């Protein structure tokens, strides 16, 4: 059997799975079919010699395609489907449509439509398809811990347990505001109080080129790093989560994604790569 025929057969064997992933991501059967077709085109162009797990490769590719489609949808500020009217499952294959309708209810699609793209992807892949956070992390350009946080936020909204988001956000803003003030003022003791003893700071390669260390561990080391800095930093919502951003002459240069627990910062991820910065859903907050 030649390679082209083998890949075609493997793709057909995975087609239903890919369609299910895409439908849960996009809430539109039409867009899901478009995404699956794009996977087929990419498969035909790709060099597959080093791919040991074709099913995993296909899932990663369709996830990236759907994430791009969700982000493009947001940037255009015009949803093809409103949160109140997800596209019903209908098409030329009644048996396929029944299976899809049984597995994804309209009520769930309404909730998924409200999630940020990265949250939706992390939740769908992990909670619905059992994909590990180690595999999800590179798709959403996050660390595994940050990908876990994305799925956790999405899960709370889907399950309806996030009953007081304003209060949670308000508390997180208090922590961020205090952290920025302590950083600017060189208040080492306050920085220590706001940081978890085992806090970890990580920076991407672009941030490292700008002078950051790739990794810093422990409250004292992280506090020393931020003491007397953050002069141009401001709070913002990045993909729906509270973060810190740094702009220079109106241009976004760095995003600091934060992980918080029990009123303390447990993780800081510095992102400066321009491509990643351009893909974020960013909302500035009053300082």
């Amino acid at each position: 059997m030649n390679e082209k025929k083998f890949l075609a057969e493997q793709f057909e064997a995975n087609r239903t799975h890919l369609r299910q992933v895409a439908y849960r991501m996009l809430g539109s059967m039409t867009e899901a079919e478009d995404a699956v077709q794009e996977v087929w085109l990419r498969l035909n162009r790709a060099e597959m010699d080093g791919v040991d797990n074709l099913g995993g490769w296909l899932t990663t590719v369709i996830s990236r395609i759907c994430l791009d489609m969700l982000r493009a949808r947001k940037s255009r500020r015009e949803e093809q489907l409103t949160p109140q009217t997800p596209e019903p499952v209908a098409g030329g294959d009644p048996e396929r449509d029944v299976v899809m309708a049984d597995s994804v209810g309209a009520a769930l699609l309404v909730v998924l439509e409200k999630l940020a793209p990265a949250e939706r992807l992390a939740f769908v892949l992990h909670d619905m398809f059992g994909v590990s956070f180690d595999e999800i992390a590179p798709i959403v350009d996050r660390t595994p811990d940050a990908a876990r946080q994305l799925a956790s936020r999405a899960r709370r909204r889907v399950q309806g347990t996030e009953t007081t988001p304003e209060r949670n956000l308000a508390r997180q803003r208090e922590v961020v505001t205090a952290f920025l003030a302590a950083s600017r003022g060189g208040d080492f003791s306050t920085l220590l109080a706001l940081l978890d003893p085992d806090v970890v700071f990580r920076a991407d390669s672009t941030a490292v080129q700008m002078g950051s260390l790739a990794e810093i561990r422990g409250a004292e080391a992280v506090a020393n790093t931020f003491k007397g800095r953050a002069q141009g930093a401001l709070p913002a919502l990045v993909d729906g989560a509270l973060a810190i951003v740094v702009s220079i002459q109106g241009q976004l240069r760095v995003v600091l994604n934060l992980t918080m627990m029990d009123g303390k910062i447990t993780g800081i991820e510095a992102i400066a790569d321009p491509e990643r910065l351009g893909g974020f859903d960013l909302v500035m907050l009053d300082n």
Side-chain angles (χ1 to χ4, degrees):
M1 182 185 300
N2 63 46
E3 183 182 5
K4 292 275 185 195
K5 184 176 180 181
F6 172 76
L7 290 176
E9 290 182 354
Q10 291 300 304
F11 177 80
E12 287 303 322
N14 283 275
R15 182 186 287 273
T16 298
H17 167 74
L18 296 175
R19 187 187 293 118
Q20 289 173 342
V21 172
Y23 183 63
R24 286 165 173 81
M25 296 278 195
L26 301 169
S28 161
M29 182 57 68
T30 302
E31 288 187 319
E33 293 288 3
D34 289 343
V36 172
Q37 181 62 25
E38 178 62 24
V39 174
W40 169 245
L41 295 175
R42 295 191 188 187
L43 177 62
N44 277 278
R45 296 194 299 263
E47 294 290 337
M48 306 301 295
D49 292 343
V51 177
D52 297 325
N53 180 0
L54 182 59
W57 185 90
L58 292 170
T59 298
T60 296
V61 171
I62 197 148
S63 298
R64 291 185 185 278
I65 291 169
C66 291
L67 185 59
D68 288 343
M69 293 172 72
L70 288 170
R71 285 171 172 168
R73 184 191 291 175
K74 266 188 168 295
S75 67
R76 291 194 305 268
R77 296 185 182 277
E78 53 180 25
E79 299 287 341
Q80 292 189 13
L81 308 172
T82 68
Q84 291 74 31
T85 57
E87 180 181 306
V89 179
D93 186 342
E95 182 178 353
R96 179 203 69 189
D97 295 340
V98 168
V99 171
M100 195 74 75
D102 286 343
S103 61
V104 186
L108 175 58
L109 289 176
V110 168
V111 178
L112 293 179
E113 286 294 318
K114 298 177 182 179
L115 302 177
E119 288 179 338
R120 183 167 183 165
L121 184 143
F123 173 76
V124 167
L125 288 185
H126 182 266
D127 285 42
M128 295 185 177
F129 294 97
V131 179
S132 72
F133 290 117
D134 285 339
E135 296 172 277
I136 294 171
I139 300 174
V140 293
D141 290 325
R142 301 288 200 284
T143 63
D145 284 345
R148 187 187 302 274
Q149 290 291 324
L150 288 174
S152 178
R153 286 200 302 270
R155 192 179 304 115
R156 287 195 297 270
R157 296 184 69 179
V158 169
Q159 294 175 344
T161 57
E162 193 173 5
T163 56
T164 56
E166 293 83 2
R167 186 181 305 168
N168 293 339
L169 182 60
R171 174 57 185 147
Q172 291 177 4
R173 286 194 65 176
E174 289 176 2
V175 173
V176 171
T177 299
F179 180 82
L180 289 174
S183 178
R184 292 167 185 152
D187 187 345
F188 183 75
S189 60
T190 298
L191 287 172
L192 276 181
L194 295 169
L195 294 168
D196 184 86
D198 298 319
V199 62
V200 178
F201 169 91
R202 293 187 177 92
D204 68 8
S205 59
T206 306
V208 170
Q209 292 173 7
M210 294 167 62
S212 172
L213 293 176
E215 184 174 286
I216 306 169
R217 290 181 172 270
E220 289 193 8
V222 173
N224 272 318
T225 298
F226 281 90
K227 185 176 66 173
R229 304 181 66 179
Q231 302 303 321
L234 294 170
L237 290 177
V238 177
D239 286 348
L242 201 62
I244 296 171
V245 301
V246 178
S247 298
I248 299 177
Q249 295 181 342
Q251 182 178 2
L252 180 64
R253 298 297 297 275
V254 181
V255 165
L256 298 177
N257 280 331
L258 306 175
T259 304
M260 298 189 209
M261 185 175 295
D262 298 328
K264 290 183 181 290
I265 298 172
T266 61
I268 303 173
E269 181 186 16
I271 299 168
D273 178 67
E275 288 191 14
R276 294 181 64 185
L277 294 179
F280 287 136
D281 182 17
L282 179 67
V283 178
M284 297 301 301
L285 301 174
D286 295 331
N287 192 14

